[in-house]
Every structure is written in structure tokens, then in C-alpha cells.
PDB file of all heavy atoms in Angstrom:
ATOM      1  N   GLY A  62     -44.139  -4.871 -23.177  1.00 87.00           N
ATOM      2  CA  GLY A  62     -43.574  -6.133 -22.721  1.00 87.00           C
ATOM      3  C   GLY A  62     -42.072  -6.218 -22.806  1.00 87.00           C
ATOM      4  O   GLY A  62     -41.480  -7.221 -22.403  1.00 87.00           O
ATOM      5  N   LEU A  63     -41.427  -5.183 -23.325  1.00 95.00           N
ATOM      6  CA  LEU A  63     -39.967  -5.182 -23.465  1.00 95.00           C
ATOM      7  C   LEU A  63     -39.355  -4.273 -22.417  1.00 95.00           C
ATOM      8  O   LEU A  63     -39.772  -3.120 -22.269  1.00 95.00           O
ATOM      9  CB  LEU A  63     -39.576  -4.718 -24.870  1.00 95.00           C
ATOM     10  CG  LEU A  63     -40.050  -5.635 -26.002  1.00 95.00           C
ATOM     11  CD1 LEU A  63     -39.806  -4.978 -27.355  1.00 95.00           C
ATOM     12  CD2 LEU A  63     -39.342  -6.984 -25.937  1.00 95.00           C
ATOM     13  N   PRO A  64     -38.347  -4.754 -21.696  1.00 96.00           N
ATOM     14  CA  PRO A  64     -37.811  -3.981 -20.572  1.00 96.00           C
ATOM     15  C   PRO A  64     -36.851  -2.881 -21.012  1.00 96.00           C
ATOM     16  O   PRO A  64     -36.263  -2.918 -22.099  1.00 96.00           O
ATOM     17  CB  PRO A  64     -37.067  -5.040 -19.749  1.00 96.00           C
ATOM     18  CG  PRO A  64     -36.633  -6.047 -20.768  1.00 96.00           C
ATOM     19  CD  PRO A  64     -37.726  -6.091 -21.795  1.00 96.00           C
ATOM     20  N   ALA A  65     -36.701  -1.907 -20.135  1.00 97.00           N
ATOM     21  CA  ALA A  65     -35.661  -0.885 -20.259  1.00 97.00           C
ATOM     22  C   ALA A  65     -34.844  -0.913 -18.971  1.00 97.00           C
ATOM     23  O   ALA A  65     -35.405  -1.048 -17.881  1.00 97.00           O
ATOM     24  CB  ALA A  65     -36.268   0.493 -20.482  1.00 97.00           C
ATOM     25  N   PHE A  66     -33.525  -0.786 -19.102  1.00 98.00           N
ATOM     26  CA  PHE A  66     -32.630  -0.869 -17.955  1.00 98.00           C
ATOM     27  C   PHE A  66     -31.718   0.349 -17.892  1.00 98.00           C
ATOM     28  O   PHE A  66     -31.306   0.894 -18.923  1.00 98.00           O
ATOM     29  CB  PHE A  66     -31.741  -2.121 -18.053  1.00 98.00           C
ATOM     30  CG  PHE A  66     -32.463  -3.418 -17.896  1.00 98.00           C
ATOM     31  CD1 PHE A  66     -32.811  -4.174 -19.009  1.00 98.00           C
ATOM     32  CD2 PHE A  66     -32.800  -3.896 -16.642  1.00 98.00           C
ATOM     33  CE1 PHE A  66     -33.470  -5.380 -18.874  1.00 98.00           C
ATOM     34  CE2 PHE A  66     -33.468  -5.102 -16.490  1.00 98.00           C
ATOM     35  CZ  PHE A  66     -33.803  -5.843 -17.603  1.00 98.00           C
ATOM     36  N   ALA A  67     -31.390   0.744 -16.662  1.00 98.00           N
ATOM     37  CA  ALA A  67     -30.306   1.692 -16.426  1.00 98.00           C
ATOM     38  C   ALA A  67     -29.030   0.901 -16.191  1.00 98.00           C
ATOM     39  O   ALA A  67     -29.034  -0.102 -15.472  1.00 98.00           O
ATOM     40  CB  ALA A  67     -30.606   2.568 -15.220  1.00 98.00           C
ATOM     41  N   VAL A  68     -27.927   1.343 -16.800  1.00 98.00           N
ATOM     42  CA  VAL A  68     -26.625   0.699 -16.656  1.00 98.00           C
ATOM     43  C   VAL A  68     -25.592   1.771 -16.325  1.00 98.00           C
ATOM     44  O   VAL A  68     -25.517   2.793 -17.019  1.00 98.00           O
ATOM     45  CB  VAL A  68     -26.216  -0.039 -17.946  1.00 98.00           C
ATOM     46  CG1 VAL A  68     -24.759  -0.501 -17.877  1.00 98.00           C
ATOM     47  CG2 VAL A  68     -27.131  -1.224 -18.200  1.00 98.00           C
ATOM     48  N   THR A  69     -24.815   1.551 -15.268  1.00 98.00           N
ATOM     49  CA  THR A  69     -23.762   2.508 -14.919  1.00 98.00           C
ATOM     50  C   THR A  69     -22.475   2.152 -15.656  1.00 98.00           C
ATOM     51  O   THR A  69     -22.098   0.982 -15.741  1.00 98.00           O
ATOM     52  CB  THR A  69     -23.488   2.512 -13.407  1.00 98.00           C
ATOM     53  OG1 THR A  69     -23.085   1.194 -12.987  1.00 98.00           O
ATOM     54  CG2 THR A  69     -24.721   2.929 -12.631  1.00 98.00           C
ATOM     55  N   SER A  70     -21.795   3.152 -16.175  1.00 98.00           N
ATOM     56  CA  SER A  70     -20.508   2.966 -16.836  1.00 98.00           C
ATOM     57  C   SER A  70     -19.447   3.761 -16.071  1.00 98.00           C
ATOM     58  O   SER A  70     -19.341   4.983 -16.229  1.00 98.00           O
ATOM     59  CB  SER A  70     -20.558   3.427 -18.296  1.00 98.00           C
ATOM     60  OG  SER A  70     -19.266   3.426 -18.878  1.00 98.00           O
ATOM     61  N   TRP A  71     -18.679   3.068 -15.247  1.00 97.00           N
ATOM     62  CA  TRP A  71     -17.625   3.685 -14.440  1.00 97.00           C
ATOM     63  C   TRP A  71     -16.573   4.349 -15.322  1.00 97.00           C
ATOM     64  O   TRP A  71     -16.078   5.436 -15.017  1.00 97.00           O
ATOM     65  CB  TRP A  71     -16.989   2.612 -13.560  1.00 97.00           C
ATOM     66  CG  TRP A  71     -15.947   3.074 -12.600  1.00 97.00           C
ATOM     67  CD1 TRP A  71     -16.126   3.448 -11.296  1.00 97.00           C
ATOM     68  CD2 TRP A  71     -14.527   3.174 -12.834  1.00 97.00           C
ATOM     69  NE1 TRP A  71     -14.923   3.781 -10.713  1.00 97.00           N
ATOM     70  CE2 TRP A  71     -13.930   3.618 -11.634  1.00 97.00           C
ATOM     71  CE3 TRP A  71     -13.722   2.924 -13.937  1.00 97.00           C
ATOM     72  CZ2 TRP A  71     -12.549   3.823 -11.516  1.00 97.00           C
ATOM     73  CZ3 TRP A  71     -12.345   3.127 -13.830  1.00 97.00           C
ATOM     74  CH2 TRP A  71     -11.775   3.570 -12.620  1.00 97.00           C
ATOM     75  N   GLY A  72     -16.227   3.710 -16.427  1.00 95.00           N
ATOM     76  CA  GLY A  72     -15.133   4.199 -17.251  1.00 95.00           C
ATOM     77  C   GLY A  72     -15.508   5.297 -18.225  1.00 95.00           C
ATOM     78  O   GLY A  72     -14.642   6.061 -18.657  1.00 95.00           O
ATOM     79  N   ASP A  73     -16.785   5.401 -18.588  1.00 96.00           N
ATOM     80  CA  ASP A  73     -17.219   6.426 -19.540  1.00 96.00           C
ATOM     81  C   ASP A  73     -18.049   7.526 -18.879  1.00 96.00           C
ATOM     82  O   ASP A  73     -18.674   8.329 -19.586  1.00 96.00           O
ATOM     83  CB  ASP A  73     -18.004   5.787 -20.686  1.00 96.00           C
ATOM     84  CG  ASP A  73     -17.098   5.080 -21.680  1.00 96.00           C
ATOM     85  OD1 ASP A  73     -15.937   5.506 -21.810  1.00 96.00           O
ATOM     86  OD2 ASP A  73     -17.533   4.104 -22.314  1.00 96.00           O
ATOM     87  N   HIS A  74     -18.093   7.543 -17.537  1.00 97.00           N
ATOM     88  CA  HIS A  74     -18.653   8.676 -16.787  1.00 97.00           C
ATOM     89  C   HIS A  74     -20.124   8.928 -17.115  1.00 97.00           C
ATOM     90  O   HIS A  74     -20.547  10.070 -17.278  1.00 97.00           O
ATOM     91  CB  HIS A  74     -17.849   9.962 -17.069  1.00 97.00           C
ATOM     92  CG  HIS A  74     -16.377   9.751 -17.200  1.00 97.00           C
ATOM     93  ND1 HIS A  74     -15.583   9.435 -16.127  1.00 97.00           N
ATOM     94  CD2 HIS A  74     -15.560   9.782 -18.284  1.00 97.00           C
ATOM     95  CE1 HIS A  74     -14.324   9.298 -16.548  1.00 97.00           C
ATOM     96  NE2 HIS A  74     -14.293   9.497 -17.845  1.00 97.00           N
ATOM     97  N   ARG A  75     -20.914   7.861 -17.167  1.00 98.00           N
ATOM     98  CA  ARG A  75     -22.311   8.063 -17.555  1.00 98.00           C
ATOM     99  C   ARG A  75     -23.192   6.942 -17.024  1.00 98.00           C
ATOM    100  O   ARG A  75     -22.716   5.856 -16.665  1.00 98.00           O
ATOM    101  CB  ARG A  75     -22.426   8.142 -19.074  1.00 98.00           C
ATOM    102  CG  ARG A  75     -22.110   6.848 -19.809  1.00 98.00           C
ATOM    103  CD  ARG A  75     -21.869   7.091 -21.276  1.00 98.00           C
ATOM    104  NE  ARG A  75     -21.757   5.846 -22.039  1.00 98.00           N
ATOM    105  CZ  ARG A  75     -21.164   5.748 -23.211  1.00 98.00           C
ATOM    106  NH1 ARG A  75     -20.628   6.821 -23.777  1.00 98.00           N
ATOM    107  NH2 ARG A  75     -21.103   4.580 -23.840  1.00 98.00           N
ATOM    108  N   VAL A  76     -24.482   7.221 -17.006  1.00 98.00           N
ATOM    109  CA  VAL A  76     -25.506   6.213 -16.774  1.00 98.00           C
ATOM    110  C   VAL A  76     -26.267   6.058 -18.075  1.00 98.00           C
ATOM    111  O   VAL A  76     -26.802   7.034 -18.623  1.00 98.00           O
ATOM    112  CB  VAL A  76     -26.456   6.603 -15.633  1.00 98.00           C
ATOM    113  CG1 VAL A  76     -27.565   5.558 -15.478  1.00 98.00           C
ATOM    114  CG2 VAL A  76     -25.685   6.759 -14.324  1.00 98.00           C
ATOM    115  N   GLU A  77     -26.297   4.856 -18.593  1.00 98.00           N
ATOM    116  CA  GLU A  77     -26.946   4.575 -19.871  1.00 98.00           C
ATOM    117  C   GLU A  77     -28.344   4.010 -19.651  1.00 98.00           C
ATOM    118  O   GLU A  77     -28.642   3.431 -18.609  1.00 98.00           O
ATOM    119  CB  GLU A  77     -26.121   3.564 -20.664  1.00 98.00           C
ATOM    120  CG  GLU A  77     -24.691   4.000 -20.921  1.00 98.00           C
ATOM    121  CD  GLU A  77     -23.840   2.912 -21.514  1.00 98.00           C
ATOM    122  OE1 GLU A  77     -24.272   1.723 -21.497  1.00 98.00           O
ATOM    123  OE2 GLU A  77     -22.741   3.216 -21.992  1.00 98.00           O
ATOM    124  N   ARG A  78     -29.169   4.168 -20.681  1.00 98.00           N
ATOM    125  CA  ARG A  78     -30.489   3.516 -20.695  1.00 98.00           C
ATOM    126  C   ARG A  78     -30.535   2.613 -21.921  1.00 98.00           C
ATOM    127  O   ARG A  78     -30.261   3.044 -23.040  1.00 98.00           O
ATOM    128  CB  ARG A  78     -31.603   4.561 -20.756  1.00 98.00           C
ATOM    129  CG  ARG A  78     -33.014   3.960 -20.827  1.00 98.00           C
ATOM    130  CD  ARG A  78     -34.059   5.044 -20.626  1.00 98.00           C
ATOM    131  NE  ARG A  78     -33.775   6.203 -21.474  1.00 98.00           N
ATOM    132  CZ  ARG A  78     -34.020   7.463 -21.108  1.00 98.00           C
ATOM    133  NH1 ARG A  78     -34.549   7.727 -19.942  1.00 98.00           N
ATOM    134  NH2 ARG A  78     -33.736   8.461 -21.925  1.00 98.00           N
ATOM    135  N   HIS A  79     -30.864   1.346 -21.691  1.00 98.00           N
ATOM    136  CA  HIS A  79     -30.946   0.361 -22.770  1.00 98.00           C
ATOM    137  C   HIS A  79     -32.398  -0.089 -22.904  1.00 98.00           C
ATOM    138  O   HIS A  79     -32.940  -0.737 -22.002  1.00 98.00           O
ATOM    139  CB  HIS A  79     -30.038  -0.826 -22.471  1.00 98.00           C
ATOM    140  CG  HIS A  79     -28.579  -0.490 -22.480  1.00 98.00           C
ATOM    141  ND1 HIS A  79     -27.745  -0.818 -23.524  1.00 98.00           N
ATOM    142  CD2 HIS A  79     -27.804   0.171 -21.576  1.00 98.00           C
ATOM    143  CE1 HIS A  79     -26.521  -0.390 -23.268  1.00 98.00           C
ATOM    144  NE2 HIS A  79     -26.531   0.212 -22.087  1.00 98.00           N
ATOM    145  N   ARG A  80     -33.012   0.268 -24.023  1.00 98.00           N
ATOM    146  CA  ARG A  80     -34.381  -0.158 -24.330  1.00 98.00           C
ATOM    147  C   ARG A  80     -34.301  -1.383 -25.232  1.00 98.00           C
ATOM    148  O   ARG A  80     -33.763  -1.320 -26.339  1.00 98.00           O
ATOM    149  CB  ARG A  80     -35.155   0.961 -25.008  1.00 98.00           C
ATOM    150  CG  ARG A  80     -35.421   2.178 -24.118  1.00 98.00           C
ATOM    151  CD  ARG A  80     -36.295   3.171 -24.871  1.00 98.00           C
ATOM    152  NE  ARG A  80     -36.767   4.251 -24.039  1.00 98.00           N
ATOM    153  CZ  ARG A  80     -36.222   5.464 -23.990  1.00 98.00           C
ATOM    154  NH1 ARG A  80     -35.145   5.733 -24.734  1.00 98.00           N
ATOM    155  NH2 ARG A  80     -36.725   6.402 -23.214  1.00 98.00           N
ATOM    156  N   LEU A  81     -34.847  -2.494 -24.748  1.00 98.00           N
ATOM    157  CA  LEU A  81     -34.692  -3.743 -25.476  1.00 98.00           C
ATOM    158  C   LEU A  81     -35.720  -3.884 -26.594  1.00 98.00           C
ATOM    159  O   LEU A  81     -36.854  -3.405 -26.477  1.00 98.00           O
ATOM    160  CB  LEU A  81     -34.784  -4.929 -24.518  1.00 98.00           C
ATOM    161  CG  LEU A  81     -33.442  -5.352 -23.890  1.00 98.00           C
ATOM    162  CD1 LEU A  81     -32.786  -4.212 -23.124  1.00 98.00           C
ATOM    163  CD2 LEU A  81     -33.621  -6.554 -22.994  1.00 98.00           C
ATOM    164  N   GLU A  82     -35.296  -4.559 -27.664  1.00 97.00           N
ATOM    165  CA  GLU A  82     -36.144  -4.865 -28.804  1.00 97.00           C
ATOM    166  C   GLU A  82     -36.053  -6.356 -29.085  1.00 97.00           C
ATOM    167  O   GLU A  82     -35.007  -6.976 -28.868  1.00 97.00           O
ATOM    168  CB  GLU A  82     -35.695  -4.073 -30.032  1.00 97.00           C
ATOM    169  CG  GLU A  82     -35.763  -2.559 -29.843  1.00 97.00           C
ATOM    170  CD  GLU A  82     -35.230  -1.804 -31.038  1.00 97.00           C
ATOM    171  OE1 GLU A  82     -34.424  -2.398 -31.808  1.00 97.00           O
ATOM    172  OE2 GLU A  82     -35.606  -0.626 -31.217  1.00 97.00           O
ATOM    173  N   ALA A  83     -37.146  -6.954 -29.557  1.00 96.00           N
ATOM    174  CA  ALA A  83     -37.160  -8.391 -29.834  1.00 96.00           C
ATOM    175  C   ALA A  83     -36.200  -8.723 -30.972  1.00 96.00           C
ATOM    176  O   ALA A  83     -36.151  -8.027 -31.985  1.00 96.00           O
ATOM    177  CB  ALA A  83     -38.571  -8.844 -30.179  1.00 96.00           C
ATOM    178  N   ARG A  84     -35.439  -9.806 -30.788  1.00 96.00           N
ATOM    179  CA  ARG A  84     -34.544 -10.314 -31.823  1.00 96.00           C
ATOM    180  C   ARG A  84     -34.514 -11.833 -31.710  1.00 96.00           C
ATOM    181  O   ARG A  84     -33.812 -12.398 -30.881  1.00 96.00           O
ATOM    182  CB  ARG A  84     -33.134  -9.752 -31.667  1.00 96.00           C
ATOM    183  CG  ARG A  84     -32.178 -10.214 -32.788  1.00 96.00           C
ATOM    184  CD  ARG A  84     -30.777  -9.671 -32.585  1.00 96.00           C
ATOM    185  NE  ARG A  84     -30.144 -10.238 -31.400  1.00 96.00           N
ATOM    186  CZ  ARG A  84     -28.936  -9.883 -30.951  1.00 96.00           C
ATOM    187  NH1 ARG A  84     -28.255  -8.949 -31.576  1.00 96.00           N
ATOM    188  NH2 ARG A  84     -28.437 -10.460 -29.869  1.00 96.00           N
ATOM    189  N   GLY A  85     -35.321 -12.504 -32.511  1.00 95.00           N
ATOM    190  CA  GLY A  85     -35.426 -13.951 -32.429  1.00 95.00           C
ATOM    191  C   GLY A  85     -35.924 -14.383 -31.066  1.00 95.00           C
ATOM    192  O   GLY A  85     -36.933 -13.885 -30.564  1.00 95.00           O
ATOM    193  N   ALA A  86     -35.185 -15.305 -30.433  1.00 94.00           N
ATOM    194  CA  ALA A  86     -35.558 -15.774 -29.103  1.00 94.00           C
ATOM    195  C   ALA A  86     -35.019 -14.885 -28.001  1.00 94.00           C
ATOM    196  O   ALA A  86     -35.275 -15.140 -26.825  1.00 94.00           O
ATOM    197  CB  ALA A  86     -35.049 -17.206 -28.902  1.00 94.00           C
ATOM    198  N   SER A  87     -34.284 -13.836 -28.367  1.00 97.00           N
ATOM    199  CA  SER A  87     -33.702 -12.957 -27.361  1.00 97.00           C
ATOM    200  C   SER A  87     -33.951 -11.498 -27.739  1.00 97.00           C
ATOM    201  O   SER A  87     -35.039 -11.170 -28.229  1.00 97.00           O
ATOM    202  CB  SER A  87     -32.202 -13.258 -27.216  1.00 97.00           C
ATOM    203  OG  SER A  87     -31.650 -12.571 -26.112  1.00 97.00           O
ATOM    204  N   PHE A  88     -32.940 -10.643 -27.553  1.00 98.00           N
ATOM    205  CA  PHE A  88     -33.164  -9.212 -27.679  1.00 98.00           C
ATOM    206  C   PHE A  88     -31.948  -8.507 -28.268  1.00 98.00           C
ATOM    207  O   PHE A  88     -30.821  -8.994 -28.195  1.00 98.00           O
ATOM    208  CB  PHE A  88     -33.442  -8.590 -26.290  1.00 98.00           C
ATOM    209  CG  PHE A  88     -34.550  -9.254 -25.544  1.00 98.00           C
ATOM    210  CD1 PHE A  88     -34.268 -10.300 -24.669  1.00 98.00           C
ATOM    211  CD2 PHE A  88     -35.859  -8.853 -25.712  1.00 98.00           C
ATOM    212  CE1 PHE A  88     -35.287 -10.928 -23.975  1.00 98.00           C
ATOM    213  CE2 PHE A  88     -36.883  -9.479 -25.023  1.00 98.00           C
ATOM    214  CZ  PHE A  88     -36.601 -10.510 -24.159  1.00 98.00           C
ATOM    215  N   SER A  89     -32.201  -7.348 -28.837  1.00 98.00           N
ATOM    216  CA  SER A  89     -31.174  -6.348 -29.078  1.00 98.00           C
ATOM    217  C   SER A  89     -31.562  -5.132 -28.253  1.00 98.00           C
ATOM    218  O   SER A  89     -32.582  -5.151 -27.553  1.00 98.00           O
ATOM    219  CB  SER A  89     -31.079  -6.001 -30.570  1.00 98.00           C
ATOM    220  OG  SER A  89     -32.321  -5.491 -31.039  1.00 98.00           O
ATOM    221  N   ALA A  90     -30.765  -4.067 -28.304  1.00 98.00           N
ATOM    222  CA  ALA A  90     -31.051  -2.916 -27.449  1.00 98.00           C
ATOM    223  C   ALA A  90     -30.723  -1.609 -28.162  1.00 98.00           C
ATOM    224  O   ALA A  90     -29.775  -1.531 -28.948  1.00 98.00           O
ATOM    225  CB  ALA A  90     -30.254  -3.010 -26.141  1.00 98.00           C
ATOM    226  N   ARG A  91     -31.540  -0.590 -27.880  1.00 97.00           N
ATOM    227  CA  ARG A  91     -31.252   0.791 -28.268  1.00 97.00           C
ATOM    228  C   ARG A  91     -30.736   1.524 -27.038  1.00 97.00           C
ATOM    229  O   ARG A  91     -31.355   1.478 -25.980  1.00 97.00           O
ATOM    230  CB  ARG A  91     -32.511   1.491 -28.786  1.00 97.00           C
ATOM    231  CG  ARG A  91     -33.031   0.950 -30.102  1.00 97.00           C
ATOM    232  CD  ARG A  91     -34.287   1.704 -30.527  1.00 97.00           C
ATOM    233  NE  ARG A  91     -35.421   1.396 -29.669  1.00 97.00           N
ATOM    234  CZ  ARG A  91     -36.046   2.272 -28.893  1.00 97.00           C
ATOM    235  NH1 ARG A  91     -35.604   3.535 -28.834  1.00 97.00           N
ATOM    236  NH2 ARG A  91     -37.080   1.920 -28.164  1.00 97.00           N
ATOM    237  N   ARG A  92     -29.624   2.192 -27.183  1.00 98.00           N
ATOM    238  CA  ARG A  92     -28.976   2.835 -26.044  1.00 98.00           C
ATOM    239  C   ARG A  92     -29.030   4.351 -26.176  1.00 98.00           C
ATOM    240  O   ARG A  92     -28.798   4.906 -27.247  1.00 98.00           O
ATOM    241  CB  ARG A  92     -27.510   2.382 -25.948  1.00 98.00           C
ATOM    242  CG  ARG A  92     -26.745   2.983 -24.769  1.00 98.00           C
ATOM    243  CD  ARG A  92     -25.319   2.478 -24.732  1.00 98.00           C
ATOM    244  NE  ARG A  92     -24.510   3.006 -25.821  1.00 98.00           N
ATOM    245  CZ  ARG A  92     -23.251   2.647 -26.073  1.00 98.00           C
ATOM    246  NH1 ARG A  92     -22.663   1.728 -25.312  1.00 98.00           N
ATOM    247  NH2 ARG A  92     -22.585   3.157 -27.077  1.00 98.00           N
ATOM    248  N   ASP A  93     -29.349   5.019 -25.060  1.00 97.00           N
ATOM    249  CA  ASP A  93     -29.148   6.453 -24.966  1.00 97.00           C
ATOM    250  C   ASP A  93     -28.553   6.758 -23.593  1.00 97.00           C
ATOM    251  O   ASP A  93     -28.296   5.845 -22.806  1.00 97.00           O
ATOM    252  CB  ASP A  93     -30.425   7.253 -25.242  1.00 97.00           C
ATOM    253  CG  ASP A  93     -31.528   6.963 -24.233  1.00 97.00           C
ATOM    254  OD1 ASP A  93     -31.339   6.112 -23.340  1.00 97.00           O
ATOM    255  OD2 ASP A  93     -32.609   7.589 -24.324  1.00 97.00           O
ATOM    256  N   VAL A  94     -28.287   8.028 -23.326  1.00 98.00           N
ATOM    257  CA  VAL A  94     -27.548   8.396 -22.119  1.00 98.00           C
ATOM    258  C   VAL A  94     -28.330   9.458 -21.346  1.00 98.00           C
ATOM    259  O   VAL A  94     -28.223  10.647 -21.644  1.00 98.00           O
ATOM    260  CB  VAL A  94     -26.138   8.909 -22.466  1.00 98.00           C
ATOM    261  CG1 VAL A  94     -25.364   9.240 -21.189  1.00 98.00           C
ATOM    262  CG2 VAL A  94     -25.373   7.874 -23.286  1.00 98.00           C
ATOM    263  N   PRO A  95     -29.122   9.055 -20.341  1.00 97.00           N
ATOM    264  CA  PRO A  95     -29.890  10.038 -19.567  1.00 97.00           C
ATOM    265  C   PRO A  95     -29.068  10.817 -18.551  1.00 97.00           C
ATOM    266  O   PRO A  95     -29.503  11.862 -18.087  1.00 97.00           O
ATOM    267  CB  PRO A  95     -30.954   9.191 -18.881  1.00 97.00           C
ATOM    268  CG  PRO A  95     -30.352   7.830 -18.777  1.00 97.00           C
ATOM    269  CD  PRO A  95     -29.498   7.670 -20.002  1.00 97.00           C
ATOM    270  N   ILE A  96     -27.888  10.301 -18.157  1.00 98.00           N
ATOM    271  CA  ILE A  96     -27.006  11.015 -17.223  1.00 98.00           C
ATOM    272  C   ILE A  96     -25.586  10.964 -17.769  1.00 98.00           C
ATOM    273  O   ILE A  96     -25.043   9.877 -18.018  1.00 98.00           O
ATOM    274  CB  ILE A  96     -27.010  10.396 -15.811  1.00 98.00           C
ATOM    275  CG1 ILE A  96     -28.425  10.265 -15.253  1.00 98.00           C
ATOM    276  CG2 ILE A  96     -26.150  11.221 -14.861  1.00 98.00           C
ATOM    277  CD1 ILE A  96     -28.481   9.609 -13.891  1.00 98.00           C
ATOM    278  N   VAL A  97     -24.985  12.111 -17.935  1.00 98.00           N
ATOM    279  CA  VAL A  97     -23.611  12.169 -18.418  1.00 98.00           C
ATOM    280  C   VAL A  97     -22.815  13.108 -17.522  1.00 98.00           C
ATOM    281  O   VAL A  97     -23.304  14.166 -17.111  1.00 98.00           O
ATOM    282  CB  VAL A  97     -23.554  12.625 -19.890  1.00 98.00           C
ATOM    283  CG1 VAL A  97     -24.163  14.007 -20.072  1.00 98.00           C
ATOM    284  CG2 VAL A  97     -22.125  12.585 -20.419  1.00 98.00           C
ATOM    285  N   GLY A  98     -21.595  12.700 -17.180  1.00 97.00           N
ATOM    286  CA  GLY A  98     -20.754  13.506 -16.300  1.00 97.00           C
ATOM    287  C   GLY A  98     -19.376  13.716 -16.876  1.00 97.00           C
ATOM    288  O   GLY A  98     -19.072  13.292 -18.000  1.00 97.00           O
ATOM    289  N   GLY A  99     -18.527  14.366 -16.102  1.00 96.00           N
ATOM    290  CA  GLY A  99     -17.142  14.588 -16.488  1.00 96.00           C
ATOM    291  C   GLY A  99     -16.244  13.514 -15.921  1.00 96.00           C
ATOM    292  O   GLY A  99     -16.704  12.470 -15.439  1.00 96.00           O
ATOM    293  N   VAL A 100     -14.937  13.788 -15.938  1.00 95.00           N
ATOM    294  CA  VAL A 100     -13.966  12.772 -15.549  1.00 95.00           C
ATOM    295  C   VAL A 100     -14.040  12.425 -14.066  1.00 95.00           C
ATOM    296  O   VAL A 100     -13.515  11.394 -13.648  1.00 95.00           O
ATOM    297  CB  VAL A 100     -12.535  13.209 -15.910  1.00 95.00           C
ATOM    298  CG1 VAL A 100     -12.369  13.317 -17.404  1.00 95.00           C
ATOM    299  CG2 VAL A 100     -12.174  14.525 -15.230  1.00 95.00           C
ATOM    300  N   MET A 101     -14.692  13.252 -13.267  1.00 96.00           N
ATOM    301  CA  MET A 101     -14.837  12.960 -11.842  1.00 96.00           C
ATOM    302  C   MET A 101     -16.206  12.393 -11.505  1.00 96.00           C
ATOM    303  O   MET A 101     -16.653  12.421 -10.360  1.00 96.00           O
ATOM    304  CB  MET A 101     -14.564  14.212 -11.013  1.00 96.00           C
ATOM    305  CG  MET A 101     -13.165  14.768 -11.179  1.00 96.00           C
ATOM    306  SD  MET A 101     -11.881  13.626 -10.608  1.00 96.00           S
ATOM    307  CE  MET A 101     -11.958  13.910  -8.838  1.00 96.00           C
ATOM    308  N   PHE A 102     -16.895  11.833 -12.507  1.00 98.00           N
ATOM    309  CA  PHE A 102     -18.143  11.102 -12.291  1.00 98.00           C
ATOM    310  C   PHE A 102     -17.870   9.649 -12.635  1.00 98.00           C
ATOM    311  O   PHE A 102     -17.629   9.299 -13.788  1.00 98.00           O
ATOM    312  CB  PHE A 102     -19.255  11.668 -13.155  1.00 98.00           C
ATOM    313  CG  PHE A 102     -20.580  10.957 -13.007  1.00 98.00           C
ATOM    314  CD1 PHE A 102     -21.165  10.806 -11.755  1.00 98.00           C
ATOM    315  CD2 PHE A 102     -21.246  10.457 -14.120  1.00 98.00           C
ATOM    316  CE1 PHE A 102     -22.397  10.157 -11.623  1.00 98.00           C
ATOM    317  CE2 PHE A 102     -22.461   9.817 -13.996  1.00 98.00           C
ATOM    318  CZ  PHE A 102     -23.045   9.669 -12.744  1.00 98.00           C
ATOM    319  N   ARG A 103     -17.870   8.780 -11.612  1.00 98.00           N
ATOM    320  CA  ARG A 103     -17.541   7.368 -11.772  1.00 98.00           C
ATOM    321  C   ARG A 103     -18.652   6.513 -11.162  1.00 98.00           C
ATOM    322  O   ARG A 103     -18.512   5.954 -10.061  1.00 98.00           O
ATOM    323  CB  ARG A 103     -16.211   7.058 -11.078  1.00 98.00           C
ATOM    324  CG  ARG A 103     -15.013   7.806 -11.645  1.00 98.00           C
ATOM    325  CD  ARG A 103     -14.466   7.122 -12.862  1.00 98.00           C
ATOM    326  NE  ARG A 103     -13.349   7.871 -13.459  1.00 98.00           N
ATOM    327  CZ  ARG A 103     -12.603   7.399 -14.452  1.00 98.00           C
ATOM    328  NH1 ARG A 103     -12.845   6.194 -14.932  1.00 98.00           N
ATOM    329  NH2 ARG A 103     -11.636   8.134 -14.968  1.00 98.00           N
ATOM    330  N   PRO A 104     -19.812   6.400 -11.844  1.00 98.00           N
ATOM    331  CA  PRO A 104     -20.944   5.689 -11.250  1.00 98.00           C
ATOM    332  C   PRO A 104     -20.685   4.196 -11.130  1.00 98.00           C
ATOM    333  O   PRO A 104     -20.122   3.572 -12.023  1.00 98.00           O
ATOM    334  CB  PRO A 104     -22.084   5.982 -12.227  1.00 98.00           C
ATOM    335  CG  PRO A 104     -21.408   6.242 -13.539  1.00 98.00           C
ATOM    336  CD  PRO A 104     -20.114   6.920 -13.188  1.00 98.00           C
ATOM    337  N   VAL A 105     -21.096   3.634  -9.991  1.00 98.00           N
ATOM    338  CA  VAL A 105     -20.909   2.207  -9.727  1.00 98.00           C
ATOM    339  C   VAL A 105     -22.271   1.547  -9.492  1.00 98.00           C
ATOM    340  O   VAL A 105     -22.803   0.857 -10.350  1.00 98.00           O
ATOM    341  CB  VAL A 105     -19.977   1.977  -8.525  1.00 98.00           C
ATOM    342  CG1 VAL A 105     -19.762   0.477  -8.301  1.00 98.00           C
ATOM    343  CG2 VAL A 105     -18.638   2.664  -8.745  1.00 98.00           C
TER     344      VAL A 105
END
């Protein structure tokens, strides 16, 4: 029941994955990096 999202980071050259965890009435998140690039990778 808890979502996971892909997030693009233009400035850090990566696509992140945020797995959400319950925190009160909202959420916190665990982050990892399924796609990582060099300085010429600018995902939008």
C-alpha cells in the first residue's frame, strides 16, 4: 500500500527511487539510485 517513485535529479546526474514508509498521517522515504550517470547526464 506504500508507493515508490522515480525522481530525476538534473543537478546530481541520476534517477532516484524513493520508497515511502508510513510516518504519522504522512510518509518518510528510503532513497536509492537505480540510474547514475556522469556530468553529461542531465535527466529532466
Side-chain angles (χ1 to χ4, degrees):
L63 297 171
F66 292 100
V68 170
T69 59
S70 172
W71 184 93
D73 284 332
H74 322 289
R75 67 196 188 201
V76 177
E77 303 171 346
R78 178 170 48 215
H79 293 257
R80 293 185 171 99
L81 271 58
E82 299 176 337
R84 183 182 67 184
S87 189
F88 306 92
S89 60
R91 292 180 290 116
R92 181 179 70 185
D93 62 358
V94 182
I96 306 178
V97 60
V100 295
M101 299 297 280
F102 179 55
R103 298 277 177 172
V105 182

